[in-house]
């Protein structure tokens, strides 16, 4: 607790020093009122993390805790956004819940203008929500517990082992710390690059907060923007330098810490071998099969999306970009952002129908497992695709090089795909009932975007009826946590015995 108070005092001192040299800061973003509000906001989320840690000790179900942590942070964000200081003209419960869930689920769909309808304090709440939502409440809980409570319990390590995909219990809390620190460092670097690219915005207060907000939003694949038109605003749509920075952050966030860590480990050992030729390390197995599948699938999807948009959108939004580099950047940005990021540098209504359909396909696949993005995940799509060829070749297993994919992974992949399509289909039906004035394509795009936590829209989000908004809220929430996780938490029988019934084949086709 003393450490928290010390951090708040240090923050106050830094703000006072900065305001001494930049007087305008104290008049706007760094007012004492805002400093106190931000301090209380920080303290609130610290206490919330301690509450989650308390729940650890009395309830043992990692899947339910994972789901519950997102529900808790979304509800907390809802009531915070309803505070008078958070909005310029007030907000009702439905819109507050929609915005908080969209931020927590790192979706980016909005029913209010983030730039105009929320105060700097409200925008900060949204930023904190998608930061925690992107990395996971349980990750932050373990991070704060490690610092403020002198380590973590064995039971907490068991929770985090499944969530972080780690097999070694001894390193679980160090991994949680590494994830948070790695993310903050990347976001800080991204904010600096974005800040340097904003030559059209003169004041530091605008450029600084804008850069930080968009760096975090990009890395967390949240898609929220402080520009009313998103990155389609005229001062930003031709800012190709900024777009490449945002794309890099989106890709890193969409890959996840595990993939980045594995790749960095390989690079370090490769460099070591270059300078120590007499004591070379064997590095052929450093890159895991999971990393290879994720990276290759990601590259294929980015290249395929870029090529498709360059071909299909030459006479639409690409025509206003005069240079080849501009066209390529815009097409590539559309390809990258479609897979759960949600930023737009073009008017989404200018897409051709084939372009919209291909974007729906990219949204459905989404990012990679254990990342900040959503969708069915790249590995799920890759395994399902490889299984088709494996069946066609009459092979009983999916083989890649000298490895085979576990049957459990194949079964889980098809379960995830089936659940996603069933949820999306139900969402489309409900929205067509509640908002029959919209076309099937507009509704389908909205539902795929919500369930895959993308945040792109054809312009109908703010016009949805209240029942439709609640449908979209559930789609965003279940799309972020994964319905399969909720079902495992509810239906899994811990005492299941190992047994098998006689096998019988079923006619499929």
């Amino acid at each position: 607790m003393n450490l928290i108070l010390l951090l708040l005092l240090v923050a106050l001192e830094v703000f006072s020093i900065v305001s001494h040299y930049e007087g305008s800061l104290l008049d706007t973003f760094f007012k004492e009122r805002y400093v106190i509000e931000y301090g209380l906001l920080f303290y609130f989320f610290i206490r919330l993390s301690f509450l989650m840690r308390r729940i650890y000790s009395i309830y043992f179900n990692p899947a339910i805790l994972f789901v519950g942590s997102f529900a808790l942070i979304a509800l907390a964000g809802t009531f915070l956004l309803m505070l008078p200081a958070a909005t310029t003209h007030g907000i009702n419960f439905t819109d507050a819940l929609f915005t908080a869930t969209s931020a927590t689920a790192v979706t980016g769909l909005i029913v209010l203008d983030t730039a105009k309808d929320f105060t700097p304090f409200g925008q900060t709440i949204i930023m904190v929500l998608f930061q925690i939502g992107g990395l996971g409440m349980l990750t932050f809980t373990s991070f704060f517990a490690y610092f403020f409570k002198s380590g973590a319990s064995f039971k907490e390590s068991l929770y985090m082992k499944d969530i972080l995909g780690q097999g070694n219990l001894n390193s679980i809390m160090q991994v949680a710390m590494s994830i948070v620190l790695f993310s903050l460092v990347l976001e800080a670097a991204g904010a600096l690059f974005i800040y340097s690219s904003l030559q059209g915005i003169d004041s530091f207060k605008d450029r600084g907060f804008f850069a930080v907000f968009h760096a975090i939003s990009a890395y967390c694949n949240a898609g929220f923007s402080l520009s009313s038109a998103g990155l389609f605003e005229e001062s930003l749509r031709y800012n190709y330098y900024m777009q490449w920075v945002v794309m890099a952050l989106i890709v890193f966030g969409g890959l996840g810490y595990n993939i980045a860590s594995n790749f960095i480990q390989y690079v370090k050992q490769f460099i070591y071998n270059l300078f120590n030729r007499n004591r070379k390390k064997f590095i052929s197995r450093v890159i895991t099969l999971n990393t290879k599948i994720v990276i290759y699938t990601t590259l294929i999807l980015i290249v395929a999306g870029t090529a498709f948009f360059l071909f299909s959108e030459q006479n639409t939004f690409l025509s206003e970009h005069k240079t080849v580099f501009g066209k390529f950047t815009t097409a590539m940005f559309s390809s990258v952002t479609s897979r759960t990021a949600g930023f737009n540098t073009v008017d989404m209504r200018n897409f051709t129908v084939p372009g919209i359909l291909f974007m729906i396909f990219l949204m459905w696949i989404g990012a990679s497992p254990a990342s900040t993005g959503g969708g069915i995940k790249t590995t799920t799509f890759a395994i399902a695709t490889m299984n088709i060829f494996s069946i066609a070749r009459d092979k009983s297993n999916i083989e890649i090089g000298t490895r085979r994919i576990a049957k459990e992974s194949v079964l889980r992949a098809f379960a995830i795909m089936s659940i996603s399509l069933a949820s999306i289909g139900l969402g489309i039906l409900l929205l067509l009932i509640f908002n029959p004035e919209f076309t099937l394509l507009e509704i389908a795009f909205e539902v795929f975007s919500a369930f895959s936590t993308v945040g792109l829209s054809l312009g109908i989000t703010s016009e949805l009826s209240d029942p439709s908004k609640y449908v979209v809220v559930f789609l965003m929430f279940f799309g972020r946590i994964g319905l399969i996780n909720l079902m495992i938490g509810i239906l899994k029988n811990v005492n299941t015995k190992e047994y098998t019934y006689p096998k019988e084949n079923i006619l499929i086709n």
Side-chain angles (χ1 to χ4, degrees):
M1 193 63 62
N2 292 333
L3 180 56
I4 296 174
L5 294 175
L6 178 61
L7 289 173
L8 292 177
L9 290 174
V10 170
L12 286 170
E13 184 65 23
V14 170
F15 289 156
S16 64
I17 292 173
V18 172
S19 63
H20 176 73
Y21 292 100
E22 188 67 53
S24 62
L25 294 178
L26 191 58
D27 296 331
T28 52
F29 189 70
F30 292 127
K31 284 182 179 179
E32 291 181 8
R33 170 192 168 189
Y34 287 145
V35 172
I36 294 173
E37 288 175 346
Y38 298 147
L40 291 175
L41 182 64
F42 176 71
Y43 179 76
F44 171 79
F45 283 107
I46 291 290
R47 298 308 303 176
L48 194 61
S49 70
F50 289 163
L51 173 62
M52 288 301 304
R53 195 171 190 240
R54 176 62 178 167
I55 297 175
Y56 281 169
S57 62
I58 60 177
Y59 188 74
F60 189 82
N61 191 321
I64 293 297
L65 278 176
F66 176 73
V67 174
S69 66
F70 277 97
L72 181 63
I73 196 67
L75 285 175
T78 300
F79 292 113
L80 286 173
L81 289 176
M82 293 182 72
L83 294 173
T87 56
T88 55
H89 300 99
I91 187 172
N92 59 45
F93 176 80
T94 300
D95 290 344
L97 177 64
F98 190 101
T99 304
T101 305
S102 181
T104 306
V106 291
T107 304
L109 289 174
I110 55 173
V111 289
L112 296 176
D113 190 334
T114 309
K116 296 179 180 178
D117 294 327
F118 292 94
T119 63
F121 178 62
Q123 293 164 357
T124 303
I125 293 174
I126 293 173
M127 181 172 64
V128 172
L129 287 175
F130 60 65
Q131 175 73 92
I132 294 177
L135 300 185
M137 182 63 189
L138 297 183
T139 304
F140 273 100
T141 298
S142 301
F143 175 78
F144 288 126
Y146 194 89
F147 273 104
F148 300 131
K149 291 292 185 180
S150 301
S153 67
F154 176 74
K155 187 177 287 189
E156 285 177 297
S157 297
L158 287 176
Y159 289 136
M160 296 305 297
K161 180 176 74 69
D162 294 330
I163 293 170
L164 300 179
Q166 297 292 319
N168 187 2
L169 282 176
N170 296 329
S171 62
I172 291 300
M173 292 306 142
Q174 285 85 346
V175 171
M177 287 178 56
S178 299
I179 290 173
V180 175
L181 294 175
F182 175 80
S183 303
L184 294 178
V185 168
L186 272 182
E187 289 166 353
L192 288 175
F193 284 117
I194 292 175
Y195 177 84
S196 66
S197 72
L198 299 175
Q199 302 300 325
I201 303 177
D202 298 326
S203 59
F204 175 83
K205 64 180 187 299
D206 290 333
R207 290 175 63 188
F209 188 63
F210 186 97
V212 171
F213 188 96
H214 284 76
I216 298 175
S217 183
Y219 180 79
C220 292
N221 283 213
F224 279 88
S225 176
L226 293 181
S227 168
S228 297
L231 302 187
F232 182 61
E233 186 174 313
E234 191 168 355
S235 61
L236 300 175
R237 78 177 81 159
Y238 302 111
N239 189 345
Y240 304 127
Y241 168 41
M242 175 185 171
Q243 292 171 28
W244 278 94
V245 174
V246 171
M247 278 192 286
L249 289 170
I250 292 171
V251 170
F252 273 112
L255 289 175
Y257 171 79
N258 290 335
I259 305 301
S261 176
N262 188 217
F263 187 74
I264 292 172
Q265 182 185 5
Y266 175 82
V267 171
K268 287 169 63 177
Q269 296 197 15
F270 180 79
I271 294 174
Y272 175 86
N273 286 347
L274 287 179
F275 293 96
N276 297 273
R277 296 183 179 276
N278 297 328
R279 293 181 297 173
K280 285 188 175 182
K281 294 182 179 180
F282 183 72
I283 62 174
S284 296
R285 295 293 181 191
V286 173
I287 296 290
T288 64
L289 181 60
N290 181 68
T291 300
K292 291 178 181 178
I293 292 175
V294 167
I295 290 179
Y296 285 138
T297 307
T298 300
L299 288 175
I300 290 171
L301 290 173
I302 292 175
V303 171
T306 304
F308 188 91
F309 292 137
L310 281 173
F311 174 75
S312 68
E313 308 303 324
Q314 277 294 332
N315 297 322
T316 55
F317 60 82
L318 290 181
S319 61
E320 63 180 313
H321 297 271
K322 304 306 180 184
T323 64
V324 174
F325 179 72
K327 294 178 185 291
F328 176 78
T329 300
T330 304
M332 185 171 178
F333 192 94
S334 297
S335 176
V336 170
T337 195
S338 299
R339 295 179 42 251
T340 84
F343 289 106
N344 64 300
T345 59
V346 300
D347 187 345
M348 299 302 300
R349 290 167 293 190
N350 285 342
F351 269 89
T352 61
V353 173
I356 291 174
L357 293 176
F358 194 81
M359 186 169 282
I360 288 176
F361 171 69
L362 292 177
M363 291 194 297
W364 181 57
I365 297 173
S368 302
S371 71
T372 61
I376 63 171
K377 303 296 190 290
T378 51
T379 49
T380 300
F381 174 73
I383 289 174
T385 304
M386 288 186 289
N387 189 55
I388 294 172
F389 290 100
S390 179
I391 292 173
R393 294 169 181 165
D394 198 24
K395 288 187 175 182
S396 58
N397 294 299
I398 300 175
E399 298 174 352
I400 304 176
T402 58
R403 293 290 186 269
R404 63 184 174 89
I405 305 296
K407 287 288 186 182
E408 294 80 4
S409 298
V410 180
L411 294 174
R412 189 180 180 95
F414 277 92
I416 290 172
M417 292 174 68
S418 299
I419 291 172
S420 71
L421 291 175
S423 302
I424 289 169
L426 179 60
I428 292 173
L429 286 175
L430 290 175
L431 259 66
L432 285 172
I433 293 172
F434 295 137
N435 285 100
E437 68 272 21
F438 298 128
T439 65
L440 175 61
L441 187 61
E442 290 173 329
I443 293 291
F445 192 91
E446 193 82 8
V447 171
F448 269 95
S449 179
F451 187 82
S452 300
T453 70
V454 178
L456 294 173
S457 175
L458 296 180
I460 69 172
T461 310
S462 60
E463 300 175 25
L464 293 174
S465 63
D466 282 352
S468 290
K469 289 179 182 177
Y470 282 105
V471 172
V472 173
V473 164
F474 282 107
L475 286 169
M476 292 188 293
F477 180 75
F478 290 130
R480 180 66 180 107
I481 63 171
L483 270 175
I484 192 71
N485 292 321
L486 180 60
M487 294 176 67
I488 289 172
I490 296 174
L491 303 176
K492 185 178 181 180
N493 187 355
V494 179
N495 298 318
T496 299
K497 296 179 180 179
E498 291 293 333
Y499 60 86
T500 56
Y501 290 116
K503 182 172 65 174
E504 187 168 339
N505 286 326
I506 303 297
L507 184 63
I508 302 298
N509 61 359

